[in-house]
């Protein structure tokens, strides 16, 4: 049953393509008439080029629709075709379409001759030598016509891709631009992270150390044993707080658990330190992840959870890490008030970190919540 369905689909596909080829011949004839009429009527007028380009764009849109409907081609939507390339495509397309029409006409003429040949065989008006010569000549012409039709349809497809889609040079240039922007964004993100660490050390750890030194100094200079003992207990608590804050800063800079225990355990550490109830579902399998992917996934979760705890007034956060084939997906959702700014410094840094690995970061945070952050990281 499936084989029959597949065969029917193949027949329908071949039929659509044949109709597309025939319509391409008609559109080429229309394009040729347009070029002849435009050249004869408009002549050297200043407005001739604008009218010519406008007509060429309409014909090109018609060709683009034909390729999409009958051949299943997909072209970039917002891509703007330069005028000169558009006119070159129209001229080449007219030539290709007219030649394709000639080849189709020859195939039709050959079919008529084949019918006449069969009729002659049935009536007995052809001997076997004449029949053999006709079959040999017809077979060669049929082979040449089919090969020519195949080559012309392939050329038509290449012309459409060259006109409506970016060329290989443009794709390479775009890729270079993307890499340059990504590199600059990563450098900026690293500088921002360094400034944040310096601020945490200066405003947090350094101030606590100053307070600890003052407590120890007061305890050393004090003459009352009970007061000195109280100051030492306070200094001991302050030292414990300093150690905890230093540990937190070190985790934000780079979690050592990633190197020793892996991403799942590192995310468990995030859950332990989170001020909100955090549920982590790790479904990435047992296969090892590339180290840059693990690092990026960790910082996506850590930054998203920190933002939820500080700014969203959320009561709970959920994290889900899944791997399907070569793609690792990190989804963080909180039930806060929403309204997160995708252009903010924190999310911009995350987007740059993810983009450096050819990944994508999507943020959905309507007013009233919830906020959903999804990062897709290629593992290959």
């Amino acid at each position: 049953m499936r084989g029959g369905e597949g065969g029917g689909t193949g027949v329908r596909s071949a039929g659509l393509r044949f109709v597309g080829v025939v319509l391409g011949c008609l559109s080429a004839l229309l394009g040729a008439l347009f070029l002849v009429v435009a050249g004869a009527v408009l002549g050297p007028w200043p407005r001739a080029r604008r009218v010519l380009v406008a007509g060429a764009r309409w014909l090109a849109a018609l060709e683009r629709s034909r390729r999409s409907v009958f051949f299943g081609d997909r072209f970039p939507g917002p891509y703007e075709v330069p005028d000169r390339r558009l006119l070159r495509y129209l001229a080449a397309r007219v030539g290709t379409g007219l030649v394709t029409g000639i080849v189709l006409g020859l195939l039709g003429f050959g079919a008529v001759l084949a019918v006449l040949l069969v009729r002659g065989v049935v009536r007995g008006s052809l001997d076997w030598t004449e029949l053999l010569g006709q079959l040999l000549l017809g077979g060669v012409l049929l082979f040449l016509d089919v090969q020519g039709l195949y080559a012309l349809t392939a050329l038509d497809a290449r012309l459409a891709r060259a006109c409506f889609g970016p060329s290989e040079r443009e794709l390479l240039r775009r890729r270079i631009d993307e890499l340059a922007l990504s590199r600059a964004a990563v450098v900026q993100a690293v500088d921002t992270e360094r400034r944040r660490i310096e601020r945490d050390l200066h405003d947090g750890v350094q101030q606590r150390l100053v307070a600890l030194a003052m407590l120890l100094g007061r305890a050393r200079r004090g003459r009352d044993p009970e007061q000195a003992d109280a100051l030492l207990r306070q200094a001991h608590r302050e030292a414990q707080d300093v150690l905890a804050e230093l540990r937190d800063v070190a985790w934000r800079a780079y979690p050592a658990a990633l190197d020793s225990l892996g991403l799942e355990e590192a995310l468990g550490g995030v859950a332990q330190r989170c001020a909100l109830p955090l549920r982590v579902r790790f479904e990435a399998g047992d296969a090892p992840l590339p180290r840059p992917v693990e690092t990026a996934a960790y910082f996506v979760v850590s930054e998203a959870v920190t933002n939820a705890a500080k700014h969203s007034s959320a009561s709970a956060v959920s994290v889900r890490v899944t791997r399907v084939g070569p793609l690792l997906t990190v989804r963080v959702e909180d039930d806060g008030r929403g309204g997160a700014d995708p252009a903010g410094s924190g999310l911009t840094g995350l987007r740059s970190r993810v983009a450096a690995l050819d990944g994508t970061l999507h943020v959905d945070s309507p007013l009233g919540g919830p906020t959903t952050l999804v990062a897709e990281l290629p593992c290959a």
Side-chain angles (χ1 to χ4, degrees):
M1 198 64 175
R2 291 183 179 177
E5 291 176 357
T9 302
V11 171
R12 287 195 300 271
S13 177
L16 280 176
R17 294 174 68 87
F18 180 76
V19 173
V21 171
V22 174
L23 291 178
C25 298
L26 297 178
S27 64
L29 181 60
L30 180 63
L33 292 176
F34 168 75
L35 292 177
V36 171
V37 172
V41 174
L42 297 176
W45 292 356
R47 297 178 56 188
R49 180 176 177 83
R50 284 185 292 175
V51 175
L52 185 64
V53 170
R57 289 198 176 279
W58 183 83
L59 290 171
L62 187 65
E63 289 298 323
R64 179 170 174 153
S65 300
R66 180 182 67 89
R67 295 295 313 180
S68 299
V69 172
F70 295 98
F71 297 92
D73 292 347
R74 295 293 178 265
F75 305 105
Y79 184 69
E80 185 68 21
V81 182
D83 294 343
R84 184 173 298 179
R85 177 186 296 182
L86 195 68
L87 293 175
R88 285 202 304 265
Y89 167 72
L90 182 60
R93 175 69 192 88
V94 166
T96 303
L98 293 179
V99 174
T100 303
I102 294 174
V103 173
L104 287 177
L106 290 176
L107 285 175
F109 181 70
V112 172
L113 292 182
V115 171
L116 295 178
L117 181 63
V118 171
R119 181 178 297 180
V121 172
V122 171
R123 292 180 178 179
S125 58
L126 292 176
D127 58 11
W128 68 271
T129 55
E130 220 176 354
L131 176 62
L132 183 61
Q134 293 289 340
L135 288 176
L136 182 61
L137 180 60
V140 172
L141 293 178
L142 177 63
F143 174 78
L144 294 177
D145 278 346
V146 171
Q147 290 297 316
L149 184 62
Y150 178 79
L152 288 170
T153 53
L155 177 60
D156 184 53
R158 287 197 299 271
L159 289 174
R161 286 195 299 269
C163 178
F164 303 123
S167 64
E168 293 184 0
R169 178 177 297 178
E170 289 177 346
L171 288 175
L172 181 60
R173 180 181 58 79
R174 291 184 182 183
R175 182 58 177 163
I176 292 174
D177 293 341
E178 290 175 358
L179 291 176
L181 290 175
S182 176
R183 182 182 63 180
V186 168
V187 172
Q188 183 179 1
V190 170
D191 289 340
T192 302
E193 186 69 17
R194 287 175 176 173
R195 286 194 295 270
R196 186 181 67 82
I197 294 173
E198 190 277 335
R199 186 172 59 251
D200 290 343
L201 292 175
H202 180 272
D203 298 339
V205 176
Q206 181 175 332
Q207 298 299 324
R208 287 185 177 276
L209 288 175
V210 170
L212 177 61
M214 292 177 63
L215 288 173
L216 293 175
R218 290 174 57 189
R220 185 174 60 86
R221 291 190 301 269
R223 297 181 180 179
D224 186 357
E226 294 183 359
Q227 183 181 8
D229 186 62
L231 290 173
L232 286 175
R233 286 196 300 269
Q234 187 177 354
H236 182 258
R237 289 194 299 269
E238 192 69 27
Q240 290 178 328
D241 293 339
V242 170
L243 287 175
E245 189 160 349
L246 272 175
R247 191 179 299 112
D248 188 58
V249 172
W251 268 89
R252 289 200 300 269
Y254 186 84
L258 275 179
D259 293 331
S260 57
L261 301 176
L263 178 61
E264 186 175 6
E265 294 297 330
L267 295 181
V270 175
Q272 292 176 359
R273 297 188 311 277
C274 183
L276 300 174
L278 175 60
R279 183 180 63 179
V280 179
R281 294 175 59 186
F282 190 84
E283 302 171 351
D286 298 328
L289 295 170
R291 184 58 53 81
V293 173
E294 285 189 332
T295 304
Y298 170 82
F299 279 106
V300 166
V301 174
S302 179
E303 185 71 22
V305 169
T306 301
N307 290 338
K310 288 184 177 180
H311 308 297
S312 71
S313 300
S315 60
V317 185
S318 64
V319 175
R320 185 179 182 184
V321 181
T322 58
R323 181 177 184 178
V324 179
L327 189 67
L328 183 74
T329 302
V330 180
R331 181 184 181 92
V332 184
E333 184 173 355
D334 67 71
D335 59 355
R337 62 191 176 194
D341 184 12
S345 59
L347 293 178
T348 300
L350 285 184
R351 185 173 286 107
S352 300
R353 186 186 291 272
V354 171
L357 301 177
D358 288 335
T360 57
L361 182 71
H362 306 281
V363 180
D364 182 22
S365 183
L367 290 176
T371 297
T372 303
L373 184 147
V374 179
E376 297 179 340
L377 299 164
C379 300

